[in-house]
Amino acid sequence: MIEQDQKELGKVLWAIADQLRGAMNADDFRDYMLSFLFLRYLSDNYEAAAQKELGSDYPEPDEGDRRTPLAIWYCENSEDTTEFEKQMRRKMHYVIQPEYLWSRIAELARIQSKELLHTLQNGFKYIENESFASTFGGLFSEINLNSEKLGKDYTARNTKLCTIIKAIAEGLAEFSTDSDTLGDAYEYLIGQFASGSGKKAGEFYTPQGISSILSGIVTLDSQDPSTGKRPHLENVLDFACGSGSLLLNVRHRLGPYGIGKIYGQEKNITTYNLARMNMLLHGVKDTEFEIYHGDSLTNEWDWLKEMNPAKIPKFDAIVANPPFSYRWEPTETLGEDVRFKNHGLAPKSAADFAFLLHGFHYLKTDGVMAIILPHGVLFRGGAEERIRTKLLKDGHIDTVIGLPANLFYSTGIPVCILVLKQCKKAEDVLFINAVEHVEKGKRQNYLLPKHIEKVIDTYQFRKEEKHYSRRVSIEEIENNDYNLNISRYVNTAQSEEPIDLEAVHRELVDLEQKIQTAQRKHNAFLKELGLPALP
């Protein structure tokens, strides 16, 4: 039932979005819709916790009283509100004052109150600056409540918001408000907006099937995956985290207490805010994650710039889906950067290896990194060949996984997953060619659970299977000039069965004899009937 709720709620909310966005493009409307869903989640959790905390003191409003129970309690117990909020911060890690709760906002929308827009503006500022122990400055910075896209003046914008919020409130009314249901509906909407708005929106979203493969790999024991899942990760990093779906997938694999802290970095301000909301909406407390807004390639996160090797932050697991073949500026200063110095700089036309080396620099000795990249990194020459060669010679590339084409919203090209380790047990490289293991759709292809499980199982037990996977020695890769083109090592083409010409000839002779025997019998019958025989 819960799974059905997740799917149905996602569909209901998407239908509302599709109906109400009007002339507004999908990217803009996404920010409004997801922010309101986020507010609903925070509010429902907070009100449930407040009711539990206050117990019998939690009021039940009169039939004609449209105030929230918490608003009534605040009004009747003004001298106790400060202590109550302190207690809620200890238990919930955040506070929302009654006038900014979703139930209050939804009621203002229902009665078409002229105060809705002002209340929302004040509420968003309150959540950013006062709700949490950590300040979430700019969390709603991309949601312009004064935008002319909502209406030409205050009244028109207020009316539009009333319509949107009323529809969302009615759509949500029949569904569970737990974090799994709302969180998965949130992910569904992100995927739908990514699909509906094409390349631009698709850049921040990693399809769930691919996320599941990466999370399945990095949560296994890094040195000996066959022993199974690690019970705990101290930390995990995604340096191009988008909406945070990869990090959340890793957390989902290990459970809410399986990771000490989640770290993410995102350059795009809209997506950065989306990732922070996504964490909170999935029940990750503000003390359990840190998302930084900044450029990974130029290493704008001061915390990661530590020059003392003993103090450089290191991670148990790193996952990433950076922008493919991103153009960047590899300066002389970056050439001396500790992240790139030993391997060289990626070319200006494609920063794929720059992203890889950035993440790899922060990997623990016993950690594992899984990164999604275009196939070009496997065979392109020049600077990329030199980087690839050194990584192979140093024994850092553990597994190469080829995935089917047309899995992403932003591109139809096939991609690969590189699994890297600072210290790896296996002396060979495992190649998995999964390009034909896919469910084909009209506009996009999908990975089914069986496809995902097969990749993870093959990696975990380092299985070899004809036309699918093979363990390849470094000597063989060296003989191929360190080219990692997957089809060189695992060819998916099925060879035709050899034809036994002698057997075919014998079969033809036998058939000819049977034909002649049958014809003689047939002619005998014709003769008895007085009819001419067949030639």
Side-chain angles (χ1 to χ4, degrees), residues 1 21 27 77 89 131 145 190 199 229 246 331 338 407 418 428 440 442 450 506 513-514:
M1 178 62 72
R21 71 182 179 92
D27 293 330
N77 301 273
R89 286 190 189 280
S131 280
L145 294 173
I190 291 173
K199 184 174 181 180
K229 190 163 60 176
L246 264 173
T331 62
V338 65
L407 291 175
L418 289 186
D428 50 35
K440 294 190 175 181
K442 289 182 179 179
K450 64 179 181 180
R506 286 194 301 271
Q513 289 176 347
K514 288 179 179 178

Side-chain angles (χ1 to χ4, degrees), residues 418-516:
L418 289 186
V419 181
L420 297 102
K421 299 175 182 179
Q422 290 283 5
C423 297
K424 70 186 183 87
K425 188 175 180 181
E427 295 182 359
D428 50 35
V429 176
L430 175 65
F431 285 82
I432 301 174
N433 196 345
V435 295
E436 294 183 4
H437 294 253
V438 67
E439 181 75 9
K440 294 190 175 181
K442 289 182 179 179
R443 291 193 302 169
Q444 190 175 358
N445 296 332
Y446 304 91
L447 295 175
L448 299 177
K450 64 179 181 180
H451 302 136
I452 297 165
E453 291 162 9
K454 185 175 177 66
V455 171
I456 296 172
D457 184 65
T458 302
Y459 164 80
Q460 180 175 2
F461 298 104
R462 226 162 173 79
K463 292 180 178 179
E464 293 189 284
E465 180 182 323
K466 192 174 182 181
H467 303 302
Y468 186 77
S469 60
R470 182 172 163 238
R471 297 167 62 172
V472 180
S473 68
I474 291 296
E475 289 75 22
E476 183 177 344
I477 294 172
E478 181 183 3
N479 291 335
N480 280 308
D481 298 320
Y482 296 97
N483 187 314
L484 294 180
N485 197 345
I486 299 171
S487 59
R488 285 194 176 208
Y489 306 101
V490 182
N491 193 339
T492 60
Q494 299 284 346
S495 56
E496 294 183 6
E497 289 291 328
I499 298 173
D500 186 339
L501 292 177
E502 289 187 7
V504 172
H505 177 71
R506 286 194 301 271
E507 186 178 355
L508 288 173
V509 169
D510 183 54
L511 286 171
E512 181 64 29
Q513 289 176 347
K514 288 179 179 178
I515 290 170
Q516 290 177 4

